[in-house]
């Protein structure tokens, strides 16, 4: 694959993957329903272990930029089975994310149509909370985003740059206005993590907040296409810090404008509701347009690293050769890009069994959050093992590169494990419903279990050299 991306383009890809506007628009309401008026506290608290994980990614990418990123690094340093599992849950989690973001995108389009007084189409009443209507509209956007991704990361980055500028101008403008115009009294208690109602609320809030930061590492999967590997590291850290500032800013602004019950009740339509509280039409539509742009950009930004991760797995023969086919002109994994898109579309259609967009988001976000903390922790552990010699040769750098990632890994595994246990303990039967604990737990278990089965297939049927060849890790 050709090196065509500079640091600005890398930042754009990373920032689009984290999808700040989408996370703020639909995520803050979900988290508020768990932690109450402690949104700023949980966003700050979750940032600390994620920052440690970012250090691990950055250091590994400096010495070994690879399209497989954590899949390659964990397999080299720890164990190929763990490496494959890391790559697998990353890919599957992203595809699940794409499947529900399809519905989010379609829902935003329907909401926008409603604000333009278009409430019916071909005799059908438009409902932004209908997963069927939202999914069908969102699929059109998904396939359009995939076609742009086939053209290459440089074109995708140029397009997303303009979307990001619009998003952030609108987002910062409305958040800043809400900060001063809101009628809810500001309180320093919002920043107190000890005020979070329970350990389960803390664990679930942490996992949901980590999910909001998830995506900064997507830039490392295009390390082979970035002009300088250090640009990928700068982009990852830069987008992560930007997300922190936006999330804390948005948390305070939302809580200044919306009482807790209104914030929690509006969930998937939180940003739209916030905009309508602050402005009249047509200005009130601007946050909704920003949300639609953010969801569109995140769909495209998700296709890019996922196809490249599977390209790396196909290159190692842990997956089939179709994933390694490059476009003759653009030198991108075109076949993989279109296949990932098709799988995400199929999953989005299967998700129609969940009746509302809000329930779909809740089920998907919790499941993805658990697998994200798992592969973050494995990547951080790989960095600590690989660079452990720094503790002797350069103790201060060793603390940053070895100890900090390990601490981050332990914290994330603790909160993820506690949340998984709480899901198991919260129900005594299985039901196909987003609020059922066993259903919530089934999704990450299926992601991990399918990864182990796929690894066994690659190891003994494909006889992939990934499982038998050892690589230098110095």
């Amino acid at each position: 694959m050709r090196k065509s991306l500079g640091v600005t383009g890398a930042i754009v890809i990373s920032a689009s993957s984290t999808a700040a506007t989408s996370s703020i628009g639909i995520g803050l309401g979900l988290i508020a329903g768990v932690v109450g008026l402690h949104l700023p506290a949980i966003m700050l608290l979750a940032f600390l272990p994620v920052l440690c994980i970012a250090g691990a990614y950055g250091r590994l990418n400096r010495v070994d930029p690879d399209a497989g990123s954590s899949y390659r690094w964990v397999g080299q340093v720890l164990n190929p089975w763990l490496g494959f599992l890391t790559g697998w849950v990353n890919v599957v989690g992203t595809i699940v994310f794409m499947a529900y973001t399809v519905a989010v995108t379609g829902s935003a389009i329907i909401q926008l149509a409603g604000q333009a007084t278009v409430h019916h189409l071909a005799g059908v009443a438009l409902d932004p909370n209908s997963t069927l209507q939202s999914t069908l509209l969102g699929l059109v956007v998904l396939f359009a985003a995939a076609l742009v991704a086939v053209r290459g990361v440089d074109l995708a980055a140029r397009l997303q740059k303009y979307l990001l500028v619009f998003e952030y101008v609108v987002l910062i403008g409305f958040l800043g206005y809400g900060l001063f115009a809101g009628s809810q009294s500001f309180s320093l208690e919002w920043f107190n993590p000890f005020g979070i109602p329970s350990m389960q609320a803390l664990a679930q809030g942490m996992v949901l907040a980590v999910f909001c930061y998830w995506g900064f590492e997507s830039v490392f999967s295009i390390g082979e296409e970035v002009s300088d590997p250090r640009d990928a590291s700068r982009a990852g850290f830069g987008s992560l810090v930007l997300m922190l500032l936006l999330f804390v800013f948005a948390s305070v602004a939302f809580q200044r404008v919306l009482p807790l019950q209104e914030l929690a009740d509006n969930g998937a339509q939180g940003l739209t509701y916030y905009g309508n509280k602050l402005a009249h039409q047509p200005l009130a539509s601007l946050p909704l347009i920003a949300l639609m742009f953010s969801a569109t950009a995140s769909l495209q930004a998700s296709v890019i690293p996922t196809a490249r991760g599977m390209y790396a797995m196909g290159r190692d023969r842990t997956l089939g050769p179709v994933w390694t086919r490059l476009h003759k002109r653009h030198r991108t994994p075109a076949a993989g890009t279109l296949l990932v898109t098709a799988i995400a579309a199929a999953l989005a259609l299967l998700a129609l069994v969940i009746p509302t967009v809000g329930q779909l988001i809740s089920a998907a976000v919790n499941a993805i959050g658990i697998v994200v903390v798992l592969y973050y922790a494995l990547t951080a552990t790989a960095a600590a093992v690989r660079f452990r010699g720094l503790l002797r040769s350069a103790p201060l750098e060793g603390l940053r590169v070895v100890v900090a990632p390990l601490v981050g890994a332990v914290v994330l595994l603790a909160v993820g494990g506690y949340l998984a246990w709480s899901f198991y303990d919260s129900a005594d039967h299985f039901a196909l419903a987003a609020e059922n604990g066993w259903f919530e737990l089934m999704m990450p278990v299926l992601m991990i279990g399918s990864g182990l089965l796929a690894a066994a297939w690659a190891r003994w049927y494909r006889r992939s050299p990934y499982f038998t060849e050892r690589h230098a890790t110095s």
Side-chain angles (χ1 to χ4, degrees):
M1 289 184 283
R2 62 180 182 179
K3 290 183 177 291
S4 59
L5 208 61
V7 65
T8 302
I11 290 174
V12 168
I13 294 294
S14 186
S16 297
S17 296
T18 51
T21 306
S22 296
S23 295
I24 289 168
I26 64 179
L28 293 188
L30 289 176
I31 301 174
V34 175
V35 303
L37 292 175
H38 296 279
L39 283 175
I42 203 70
M43 299 312 297
L44 285 166
L45 203 60
F47 175 77
L48 297 176
V50 175
L51 181 63
C52 295
I53 304 302
Y57 270 92
R59 182 61 185 234
L60 287 165
N61 184 73
R62 277 174 53 190
V63 299
D64 186 16
D66 192 283
S69 60
S70 55
Y71 152 80
R72 169 63 62 178
W73 301 326
V74 173
Q76 286 178 342
V77 178
L78 298 182
N79 179 275
W81 285 78
L82 291 177
F84 183 92
L85 186 62
T86 299
W88 182 267
V89 298
N90 190 353
V91 165
V92 173
T94 304
I95 290 174
V96 172
F97 167 79
M98 290 167 61
Y100 94 73
T101 304
V102 161
V104 171
T105 307
S107 177
I109 294 172
I110 295 173
Q111 290 177 62
L112 192 59
Q115 293 190 359
T117 69
V118 178
H119 301 290
H120 293 80
L121 183 64
V124 177
L126 297 177
D127 178 7
N129 208 29
S130 164
T131 52
L132 175 60
Q133 296 179 15
S134 299
T135 297
L136 292 178
L137 274 174
L139 286 175
V140 176
V141 179
L142 173 64
F143 284 107
L147 292 177
V148 174
V150 167
R151 293 286 305 276
V153 293
D154 50 347
L155 176 62
R158 287 199 302 271
L159 176 61
Q160 289 175 14
K161 179 171 66 176
Y162 297 110
L163 298 180
L164 278 176
V165 168
F166 177 83
E167 285 176 45
Y168 287 175
V169 168
V170 171
L171 189 62
I172 292 171
F174 269 78
L175 293 179
Y177 180 61
L179 200 63
F180 295 100
S183 60
Q184 307 299 309
S185 299
F186 173 81
S187 174
L188 288 175
E189 181 63 19
W190 296 349
F191 292 85
N192 177 20
F194 297 102
I196 294 173
S198 66
M199 278 300 297
Q200 181 176 349
L202 175 64
Q204 186 166 5
M206 280 283 287
V207 168
L208 292 174
V210 168
F211 170 83
C212 289
Y213 289 115
W214 175 52
F216 78 90
E217 78 283 1
S218 63
V219 71
F220 297 111
S221 67
I222 56 171
E224 296 179 48
E225 297 167 83
V226 176
S227 302
D228 184 342
R230 290 174 296 182
D231 288 345
S233 299
R234 296 186 188 107
F237 277 105
S239 64
L240 189 56
V241 172
L242 177 62
M243 294 308 106
L244 169 68
L245 297 175
L246 285 174
F247 290 151
V248 174
F249 186 26
S251 298
V252 175
F254 268 54
Q255 292 184 180
R256 284 276 290 137
V257 173
L258 304 176
L260 175 60
Q261 199 59 49
E262 291 183 25
L263 180 57
D265 286 348
N266 283 278
Q269 300 179 28
L271 188 60
T272 307
Y273 188 79
Y274 175 88
N276 286 329
K277 290 277 283 191
L278 289 176
H280 300 291
Q281 297 295 348
L283 288 178
S285 296
L286 289 177
L288 181 56
I289 297 172
L291 175 63
M292 184 177 65
F293 284 174
S294 176
T296 301
S298 66
L299 279 175
Q300 188 179 79
S302 298
V303 169
I304 291 170
T306 305
R308 279 145 182 82
M310 300 187 87
Y311 167 84
M313 298 172 85
R315 193 169 56 185
D316 292 336
R317 300 210 307 273
T318 56
L319 294 180
V322 65
W323 300 100
T324 63
R325 294 177 185 170
L326 299 180
H327 193 283
K328 290 182 179 179
R329 178 182 174 188
H330 304 299
R331 307 306 297 165
T332 60
T337 299
L338 296 177
L339 273 173
V340 165
T341 303
I343 294 168
L347 190 59
L349 293 174
L350 286 175
L352 292 177
V353 297
I354 300 179
T356 68
V357 174
Q359 290 177 321
L360 173 61
I361 291 171
S362 176
V365 167
N366 281 314
I368 295 171
I370 289 175
V371 297
V372 166
V373 300
L374 173 63
Y375 82 73
Y376 273 0
L378 287 171
T379 306
T381 304
V385 171
R386 178 161 186 172
F387 302 114
R388 62 191 182 278
L390 290 174
L391 289 173
R392 294 188 303 273
S393 60
L396 290 179
E397 189 176 5
L399 287 173
R400 178 173 59 84
V401 177
V402 179
V403 177
L406 274 180
V407 171
V410 169
V411 170
L412 291 184
L413 285 176
V415 297
Y418 187 87
L419 179 59
W421 168 254
S422 70
F423 284 152
Y424 173 78
D425 197 45
S426 67
D428 56 7
H429 69 284
F430 176 84
L432 195 64
E435 66 275 8
N436 181 267
W438 286 11
F439 174 75
E440 290 272 25
L441 186 58
M442 179 194 73
M443 294 178 68
V445 167
L446 283 177
M447 292 181 193
I448 295 168
S450 62
L452 294 174
L453 290 175
W457 179 269
R459 170 66 177 84
W460 286 297
Y461 179 78
R462 293 189 182 279
R463 299 186 183 278
S464 167
Y466 175 83
F467 290 91
T468 55
E469 293 179 358
R470 301 306 298 165
H471 304 273
T473 59
S474 58

